Amino acid sequence: MPFFSAVQRVVLIAIGVALVGCNDDGTPPPTGRLNFPTAIAVTGESLFVANSNFTLRFNSGSLHRYDLGALNMRLRAQCGDRPAAERDTCGIIPSEDPQSEDLEDTLDVSVESGVLTSEVFIGSFASGIAVAETPSGGERVYLSVRSDADLTFVDVNDAGGMNCGADGGFESSLVGDPRRHRCANANRESDQSLAEAQDITLPSDPVALATGPLEELGGPAGFGQYVVTAHRGGRMSLFVVEANGGLLGTPFLVNVLEGLPRELVTVSLEPSFDGLPRRLWVPNALAPEISRVGVALDASPRDVTRSYLYDAGAAFLAGVDTGGAGVGDTRALRFDPREGVRRAYVLSRRPRALLSVDLSEDNAILEVRDIMEVGIGPSRLEVRRFEDSDRTLAFVSCFDTRDVYVLDVDQGRLVGIVRGLGGAFELAFSEASDNPDEDANLLYVVDFQASIVRVLDLEPMFECLDNVSEFDPDRECSPEPLGFLGRPNTRRELI
């Protein structure tokens, strides 16, 4: 979830403690309602959104799965013909929302069916999401949920139905709706029996995670998946998920690494460089270094549970002023998506910029090759290669200035800014498709404060860039809003 002040966090803890002591089951979140979303993922035809229930108004958070094709088609039909300046108030809302008729008069919102395919209830304060393909061709969603202090996992079938422990499986999932249910405890808890036998305890406050097949880290092929979770207090946890007959089991905790800087934020897996073992890069909000964490996996399926995490050495930024010795604040890191380009991009708040760094074999010192200024409160980063336009662009969400910056990482310059967002946070792209009738080049932005997902169309930006006859550093070519998904929270119910 967004990085809040110490006072706000104390208030949240106090509220959470008070709720734990209550016997009242509380009120479940309304069906189909986005409620302070914090995490988002796009895979194939799925858009997953995790809702944090930040104000604790309801008794749980939720995970939504939307049909991406239906969402894009309905949103373009509703808002595509309107001038770009009017699309900030144009959107669609799932018909499942019981208060869909209670909308602001200033909003141009269409109530649509067939967009929300399934919904499950999870714990409050979801902070990270990762999706992996199952051996049978389905999907599994992993969520780091801070109120549970554990790992939640949800399985998704071919029809987009989600199941996390409901009796009867995918077909018995919201109250009175066969697609909705509350995740069972078995899907909100990892198996810690192996860890307990080694006196390993799962840390609290998970904030981010990464997942993939074990062979991605040099493990046995077809055995299952790994999940690595970062905890705010400076720890990392390794889970292994076994595959059996196309089905995935319960994640079991096998190792915890301690001693990393506090206030860890995000996790990124580096590409495979020259066949070397791949490491996880973990920025933090306090120290002027980026932790690098290795994963030692036993190649034998029988002994894979003996795997462990190890500190692969910190990487330090050089050639940049962080405002004080021993002080730093980096929020995200992404590697260049082009094959053969050994470069990374670091989103920093000290200084407030996107930093481009070249990677060497050792990488202990990260020489900053370019500094690109961004807005206040830079929070999340995505970097994408667009082959049709021969450009590699970085997209930065800035929570405090409520905008998204777009930067050309090769030219080291600003391309454009999307302004006027309620509280931009997580970002995700639609995947490229060979079907000309399907939307590609769309960017989905979690608007935390407004409790909606904003959809940005990148095509106007490319049209603008293609029509610039010569380099003009003052020319902005920004994505345009296409519309939004959800019921906007205009009251700003923030603590």
Side-chain angles (χ1 to χ4, degrees), residues 94 124 126 365:
S124 297
I365 302 298

Side-chain angles (χ1 to χ4, degrees), residues 72-84:
N72 295 340
M73 181 180 67
R74 308 284 176 79
L75 194 58
R76 194 170 290 282
Q78 170 69 8
C79 307
D81 293 335
R82 289 159 176 73

Side-chain angles (χ1 to χ4, degrees), residues 386-423:
F386 298 92
E387 295 292 349
D388 291 345
S389 63
D390 193 28
R391 291 183 174 89
T392 303
L393 303 178
F395 298 78
V396 175
S397 68
C398 301
F399 191 82
D400 294 337
T401 46
R402 303 178 179 181
D403 46 33
V404 172
Y405 274 60
V406 185
L407 306 123
D408 188 312
V409 297
D410 291 322
Q411 297 182 359
R413 72 176 186 95
L414 177 70
V415 170
I417 305 174
V418 182
R419 307 179 191 272
L421 308 179

Side-chain angles (χ1 to χ4, degrees), residues 358-403:
D358 285 327
L359 303 177
S360 63
E361 290 186 5
D362 176 65
N363 296 329
I365 302 298
L366 300 177
E367 292 288 346
V368 176
R369 65 190 303 272
D370 215 340
I371 301 176
M372 295 163 272
E373 184 178 355
V374 296
I376 300 174
S379 299
R380 292 295 183 266
L381 164 70
E382 293 296 338
V383 179
R384 189 176 178 95
R385 174 67 178 171
F386 298 92
E387 295 292 349
D388 291 345
S389 63
D390 193 28
R391 291 183 174 89
T392 303
L393 303 178
F395 298 78
V396 175
S397 68
C398 301
F399 191 82
D400 294 337
T401 46
R402 303 178 179 181
D403 46 33

Side-chain angles (χ1 to χ4, degrees), residues 90-106:
C90 182
I92 63 174
I93 182 172
S95 59
E96 289 82 0
D97 190 327
Q99 299 179 21
S100 59
E101 72 283 354
D102 181 23
L103 295 168
E104 297 285 342
D105 294 337
T106 57

Side-chain angles (χ1 to χ4, degrees), residues 237-288:
S237 299
L238 172 63
F239 303 86
V240 171
V241 187
E242 293 184 353
N244 184 11
L247 300 176
L248 292 173
T250 299
F252 51 88
L253 177 67
V254 297
N255 190 242
V256 172
L257 174 66
E258 301 183 348
L260 301 177
R262 297 179 61 84
E263 301 297 345
L264 302 181
V265 186
T266 54
V267 181
S268 298
L269 178 66
E270 69 182 358
S272 179
F273 292 132
D274 301 327
L276 297 173
R278 302 171 71 178
R279 297 163 296 185
L280 298 152
W281 293 57
V282 192
N284 69 87
L286 292 181

Side-chain angles (χ1 to χ4, degrees), residues 29-61:
T31 311
R33 180 74 55 84
L34 292 174
N35 180 30
F36 295 103
T38 50
I40 188 172
V42 172
T43 61
E45 288 300 310
S46 300
L47 170 67
F48 296 101
V49 183
N51 298 289
S52 70
N53 188 34
F54 174 70
T55 58
L56 297 177
R57 181 180 178 186
F58 306 108
N59 63 10
S60 66

